[in-house]
Amino acid sequence: KAELLPDLGKKPEAMRITASISLLLRRLLAGEESNPELFSEFVSGLKFLEQAEDSGDYTGIEAIIVLRLLSHLGYIGGGKVSEKLVASPLDRELVFEAKKQRTEILSEINRALRESQL
């Protein structure tokens, strides 16, 4: 809902990330029932994205959001890379960590999507 994220539309790259994650969720959730917990996780991530002051953090935030959503849906779990990023509070330190581990995170995300045949 736009009123939940009033400033997100003012950041074109943040909007691109939001659209990309939304399309992924659309593929993953085709035919699924409503999932308030997943929606809450998604909105929380977008609020953090909206509040990010440094656009250089966007890639780390995007990776964390996707990783958390995939974990919530059961596509990812127990990996060394994902465990901390999924369980820890979303803050700048975690984003910094995600940016350092971006290659490993993307590999884990891509593996999960390949295995799910999406």
Side-chain angles (χ1 to χ4, degrees):
K1 294 181 176 182
E3 63 269 8
L4 289 176
L5 305 161
D7 296 325
L8 194 63
K10 298 174 186 171
K11 301 176 178 182
E13 182 61 14
M15 284 301 296
R16 184 204 59 76
I17 290 169
T18 302
S20 175
I21 296 171
S22 296
L23 289 173
L24 174 62
L25 281 175
R26 187 170 163 189
R27 284 178 28 209
L28 294 171
L29 298 174
E32 295 287 325
E33 305 245 343
S34 71
N35 191 329
E37 291 173 11
L38 181 71
F39 180 74
S40 178
E41 183 75 49
F42 181 50
V43 171
S44 265
L46 294 182
K47 283 181 181 179
F48 193 83
L49 179 66
E50 177 185 48
Q51 295 167 0
E53 295 174 16
D54 181 357
S55 63
D57 289 343
Y58 288 177
T59 58
I61 296 168
E62 178 182 23
I64 292 169
I65 294 170
V66 172
L67 202 59
R68 288 178 175 205
L69 295 174
L70 289 173
S71 175
H72 186 81
L73 291 167
Y75 290 101
I76 289 179
K80 266 191 338 188
V81 174
S82 63
E83 196 170 313
K84 180 180 180 184
L85 296 173
V86 169
S88 300
L90 184 51
D91 58 20
R92 283 196 53 110
E93 188 175 315
L94 194 67
V95 172
F96 179 74
E97 195 66 36
K99 287 170 33 177
K100 285 192 328 187
Q101 297 182 21
R102 182 166 166 73
T103 302
E104 293 89 354
I105 294 168
L106 293 179
S107 178
E108 195 165 341
I109 288 170
N110 288 330
R111 180 193 50 74
L113 293 175
R114 255 191 327 275
E115 288 176 5
S116 70
Q117 300 178 353
L118 293 172

